[in-house]
Amino acid sequence: MKKVGFFRSIHLKFVLIYVLLILVAMQIIGVYFVDGLEDKLKTNFENSLRQQVNILSFSIEEEMVKERDKNSTTVEEDINEILKDKKAGDIQEIRVIDSGGKIIGTSKSDDDGIVGKRTTDKIIKISLQGTEQKDVKVVPKTGKRIWILSSPIKSKGETIGAIYLEADIETVFEQIKEINKIFATGTAIALGITAILGILLAQTITRPMSDMRRQALAMAKGNFSRKVKVYGYDEIGQLAITFNNLTKKLQDAQSSTEGERRKLSSVLSYMTDGVIATDRKGRIILINEQAAMMLNVSRETVISQEIVPLLGLEDQYSFEDLLEETESVILDNSTSAKDLILRANFSVIQRETGFVNGLITVLHDITEQEKIEEERREFVANVSHELRTPLTTMRSYLEALSEGAWRDENIAPNFLKVTQKETERMIRLVNDLLQLSKLDSKDYKITKSWVDFTEFFHHIIDRFEMSKDQNVFFVRELPKKSIFVEIDEDKITQIIDNIISNALKYSPEGGKIRFRVRELDHEIEVSIKDQGMGIPKENVVKVFERFYRVDRARSRKLGGTGLGLAIAKEMVTAHNGKIWAESEEGKGTAIFFSLPYDPEQEDEWS
Ligand code: ADP
């Protein structure tokens, strides 16, 4: 937030209010006070002069009505005599005018020239009518104000003349000016003190307020560590206490929200399932890393996109359909590089009123599950197929026998031989299946013992060499020395048996079977190579799959079950070894397998 400027601050406003209040008060007091004082001073001034004029008027009247003879002094002389002493104080000049408007005396000694002259003064003329006249006029030369009074002199109810008086009223105005000056100074001092007091007083209000403002700004930035200082227990103090309480509560609320948020986000990020949340219009508002990975999108770009096209369901569902979907939906997101099958479950976020707030979609990777399910289905189909073929053969032969073929000495033994062969194959098949199921079971264990592999391998080859009925040559490329390995003899015997019987089955007349054992760094590599028909390149890897056969009919004819190499693979894996095949069509096949081997261990044996 912007910093509050001094001219906008509440501080200045407080001071201004104080100063204005004092100013208004002083002005109102000043106007009434000065006005009253001015009136009073003026009235006093006028009254004192009027009093003097009255006294003067009395003596002048006497002089004017006095009987005079030739020897006595003239009126002018007597009046001058009276006026002589009257030029005192504020009085500047006193003139006496007779009823004809002629000036018959003046108090000014150097103004004698005007005596005997007729006055033209309007005020005097009016006052000669019998009413007192007063005025204030400014002397043009000095700019000073003088007060003029023209009072009629009356004798027996008749105006016999007038007294004209000029007095210096400037002193009164000066006094008022002086008082005004004192008042203005007083006002200025009062304003100054008020301003200082205002600043100090305003501070007591504004300081806690600006503290709270600062605190609120800090809170907005997430800083809850500060506290507002409590200066007193008035309303502002209580506000500060409440503010501090509020801060504490807000901090608690925020930390618990933050905690919940962190918990939620760690739950979401450590979940193996993908989670997507949308708003009520189906736009994505939250997606965890897992979901983004499953849908192969980036979390940032996908926010506020529509969920339906993101899941690739726009052809089958609208967002409203998803809100009502109670069953899970299977999404096949497989690419050429990777299989990916997802199960999507939807749950609606709803308020108590039923208002839909959004949708939560949970994506579960069921690729593995689907694969296992598929394999299981395939396996059951394969087993049923494998069993049905010999059973059908047997049934037809047995039917033929029961329908009378048993009497035919030429056919019957043949038929029986076939059923016997098929039965044996079925037994082999069932045995193989049992073995596989044992290998699949979790608690399957192998019992290892230290065996001299060279000798052990020779024995097996010897056994085949003695029992073989084909014209096939065995070539042994085995080390001269003993190689001690820790193996389960029975299981490895079975592996080698399977491989050798395959090699014999597919070897041509006069073909060679080469047996080799190579000693490598940490393993021994066993290979059995024939010169048979070979396996097409694209099928070389598949021969280790259950029931896989390059040529089904031929394998079946040779008594194969399609499980031999699959069993071999399981067993080699149980020994922590590897099995693989190399083959060239028409030239031969080599089956390799490796077993862990530690040359140092072997030294201990020798
Ligand atoms: P089967 O009982 O059919 O021999 P296996 O699991 O032992 O089952 O072998 C799987 C398939 O691999 C065989 O059906 C065959 O097509 C092929 N195969 C195995 N060994 C050889 C080999 N030495 N030469 C050619 N093909 C082979």
Side-chain angles (χ1 to χ4, degrees):
M1 199 188 273
K2 242 170 62 184
K3 199 174 181 303
V4 179
F6 175 73
F7 291 104
R8 288 178 162 203
S9 72
I10 199 163
H11 211 114
L12 181 74
K13 281 176 192 155
F14 268 116
V15 176
L16 272 180
I17 288 168
Y18 281 132
V19 168
L20 283 175
L21 278 177
I22 291 294
L23 202 66
V24 169
M26 292 299 260
Q27 281 303 309
I28 293 169
I29 294 167
V31 166
Y32 280 101
F33 178 73
V34 173
D35 212 38
L37 199 70
E38 194 179 318
D39 270 358
K40 191 76 196 156
L41 285 173
K42 270 190 194 163
T43 325
N44 285 350
F45 177 80
E46 284 176 21
N47 285 348
S48 100
L49 288 175
R50 230 181 238 118
Q51 244 171 11
Q52 290 185 47
V53 167
N54 283 346
I55 298 163
L56 206 60
S57 172
F58 185 70
S59 11
I60 289 172
E61 184 208 333
E62 257 183 6
E63 290 300 331
M64 281 177 84
V65 295
K66 199 162 88 181
E67 290 289 325
R68 294 176 197 273
D69 53 28
K70 268 184 189 171
N71 298 327
S72 59
T73 51
T74 60
V75 180
E76 283 85 355
E77 279 169 349
D78 288 338
I79 287 172
N80 263 342
E81 196 58 36
I82 296 167
L83 294 180
K84 216 193 290 172
D85 317 325
K86 297 299 172 202
K87 207 195 138 193
D90 296 325
I91 299 168
Q92 284 188 343
E93 187 181 358
I94 301 173
R95 287 180 197 167
V96 177
I97 300 104
D98 67 8
S99 58
K102 192 175 84 184
I103 299 167
I104 50 173
T106 171
S107 63
K108 251 189 188 169
S109 51
D110 56 341
D111 217 11
D112 278 354
I114 61 160
V115 175
K117 282 191 182 154
R118 190 168 283 276
T119 181
T120 50
D121 206 321
K122 216 167 144 194
I123 287 179
I124 300 171
K125 276 182 179 168
I126 297 168
S127 68
L128 283 173
Q129 315 272 318
T131 48
E132 186 192 272
Q133 292 297 310
K134 61 173 181 176
D135 194 13
V136 173
K137 76 173 183 190
V138 180
V139 179
K141 261 189 226 161
T142 55
K144 284 192 172 171
R145 277 161 289 189
I146 50 170
W147 187 69
I148 299 161
L149 178 76
S150 185
S151 176
I153 308 167
K154 287 188 178 166
S155 169
K156 295 173 191 148
E158 245 179 77
T159 309
I160 54 163
I163 295 178
Y164 173 83
L165 175 133
E166 279 185 4
D168 183 8
I169 198 171
E170 200 61 44
T171 48
V172 174
F173 285 112
E174 240 140 52
Q175 268 177 351
I176 292 167
K177 213 165 154 188
E178 199 62 33
I179 288 163
N180 271 343
K181 222 187 259 172
I182 292 168
F183 203 82
T185 321
T187 308
I189 292 169
L191 285 178
I193 293 171
T194 310
I196 293 167
L197 279 177
I199 291 171
L200 294 176
L201 276 172
Q203 252 180 17
T204 61
I205 297 168
T206 58
R207 198 184 298 151
M209 275 186 170
S210 54
D211 268 11
M212 278 185 259
R213 179 181 160 274
R214 265 199 300 276
Q215 166 72 352
L217 287 175
M219 264 156 68
K221 284 181 191 153
N223 177 6
F224 293 95
S225 59
R226 294 171 59 136
K227 266 197 158 192
V228 176
K229 199 173 166 196
V230 180
Y231 293 95
Y233 291 92
D234 54 0
E235 285 89 334
I236 292 181
Q238 281 175 6
L239 183 66
I241 293 169
T242 317
F243 196 85
N244 283 340
N245 286 343
L246 206 70
T247 310
K248 177 102 203 3
K249 280 196 181 132
L250 209 63
Q251 185 179 17
D252 291 349
Q254 220 230 2
S255 61
S256 79
T257 315
E258 185 62 20
E260 290 301 319
R261 202 189 59 76
R262 231 177 283 135
K263 258 188 256 167
L264 180 70
S265 98
S266 62
V267 165
L268 283 178
S269 53
Y270 289 115
M271 258 173 92
T272 48
D273 285 348
V275 178
I276 306 171
T278 72
D279 62 10
R280 64 195 171 84
K281 288 198 172 151
R283 287 178 302 228
I284 294 162
I285 50 173
L286 183 144
I287 178 166
N288 70 349
E289 197 53 53
Q290 207 61 29
M293 252 158 61
M294 285 172 175
L295 299 171
N296 196 22
V297 288
S298 94
R299 281 173 75 189
E300 289 73 28
T301 52
V302 102
I303 292 290
S304 55
Q305 276 185 23
E306 304 269 333
I307 189 168
V308 184
L310 181 76
L311 297 178
L313 293 173
E314 63 270 40
D315 295 338
Q316 307 146 50
Y317 292 92
S318 68
F319 180 64
E320 284 68 31
D321 295 336
L322 290 188
L323 292 176
E324 279 155 26
E325 184 64 60
T326 46
E327 303 262 307
S328 53
V329 174
I330 304 295
L331 311 170
D332 190 351
N333 276 25
S334 304
T335 56
S336 52
K338 199 177 137 206
D339 282 343
L340 184 63
I341 296 162
L342 303 173
R343 191 180 61 223
N345 286 83
F346 305 99
S347 47
V348 181
I349 318 167
Q350 234 167 353
R351 279 195 212 154
E352 277 169 14
T353 51
F355 182 81
V356 173
N357 259 0
L359 180 79
I360 300 270
T361 308
V362 178
L363 299 175
H364 190 64
D365 186 348
I366 53 162
T367 317
E368 206 55 37
Q369 212 174 312
E370 277 291 295
K371 220 158 136 189
I372 292 169
E373 195 61 20
E374 182 60 37
E375 272 173 13
R376 194 188 60 80
R377 280 196 290 268
E378 217 170 273
F379 186 75
V380 171
N382 276 330
V383 169
S384 333
H385 182 77
E386 292 299 326
L387 287 173
R388 201 181 58 198
T389 320
L391 283 171
T392 335
T393 318
M394 279 166 66
R395 188 174 66 185
S396 48
Y397 278 85
L398 287 173
E399 266 173 15
L401 282 169
S402 66
E403 278 166 14
W406 63 274
R407 283 192 210 95
D408 190 329
E409 275 180 28
N410 292 328
I411 304 171
N414 228 345
F415 276 20
L416 283 171
K417 212 187 227 163
V418 173
T419 50
Q420 195 182 359
K421 211 175 130 198
E422 287 300 315
T423 315
E424 271 165 17
R425 208 164 72 83
M426 273 199 317
I427 291 169
R428 254 201 323 276
L429 180 72
V430 173
N431 278 342
D432 280 357
L433 283 172
L434 275 175
Q435 196 146 23
L436 265 180
S437 114
K438 255 194 236 160
L439 285 168
D440 284 343
S441 80
K442 280 203 180 71
D443 40 44
Y444 171 75
K445 276 191 190 81
I446 50 171
T447 19
K448 286 183 186 173
S449 56
W450 286 98
V451 174
D452 174 2
F453 196 80
T454 322
E455 195 192 325
F456 164 78
F457 200 17
H458 273 303
H459 274 304
I460 301 173
I461 304 167
D462 288 345
R463 181 157 48 80
F464 273 93
E465 199 153 37
M466 281 193 287
S467 64
K468 71 174 164 60
D469 43 16
Q470 295 126 295
N471 183 22
V472 176
F473 300 100
F474 284 4
V475 182
R476 306 182 197 208
E477 291 173 11
L478 272 59
K480 298 273 175 301
K481 60 168 191 165
S482 304
I483 298 174
F484 281 93
V485 282
E486 203 183 12
I487 51 167
D488 184 326
E489 254 184 282
D490 285 352
K491 304 289 181 304
I492 300 292
T493 308
Q494 204 178 337
I495 297 169
I496 297 172
D497 278 4
N498 275 342
I499 300 171
I500 299 179
S501 35
N502 275 345
L504 281 172
K505 268 192 269 177
Y506 297 102
S507 274
E509 264 296 302
K512 278 184 195 158
I513 298 180
R514 217 175 276 275
F515 303 93
R516 183 186 283 173
V517 174
R518 285 210 302 155
E519 194 184 336
L520 301 174
D521 277 352
H522 293 289
E523 56 189 18
I524 54 164
E525 187 190 272
V526 183
S527 65
I528 295 154
K529 192 175 176 185
D530 62 55
Q531 292 177 325
M533 56 193 286
I535 306 164
K537 222 181 197 124
E538 63 275 17
N539 299 333
V540 170
V541 199
K542 292 187 185 166
V543 294
F544 299 100
E545 286 174 16
R546 294 173 187 191
F547 294 112
Y548 183 82
R549 282 170 290 197
V550 178
D551 180 346
R552 266 174 193 271
R554 191 189 151 107
S555 155
R556 207 167 284 135
K557 214 167 93 200
L558 294 170
T561 57
L563 294 173
L565 287 181
I567 293 172
K569 189 184 175 182
E570 294 291 338
M571 286 176 172
V572 170
T573 312
H575 277 86
N576 296 324
K578 270 185 265 160
I579 188 163
W580 69 100
E582 282 174 11
S583 181
E584 212 175 316
E585 240 185 316
K587 288 211 170 155
T589 308
I591 306 286
F592 295 81
F593 68 90
S594 66
L595 292 170
Y597 162 65
D598 187 354
E600 282 168 29
Q601 284 270 9
E602 196 220 20
D603 288 345
E604 283 172 30
W605 283 94
S606 47

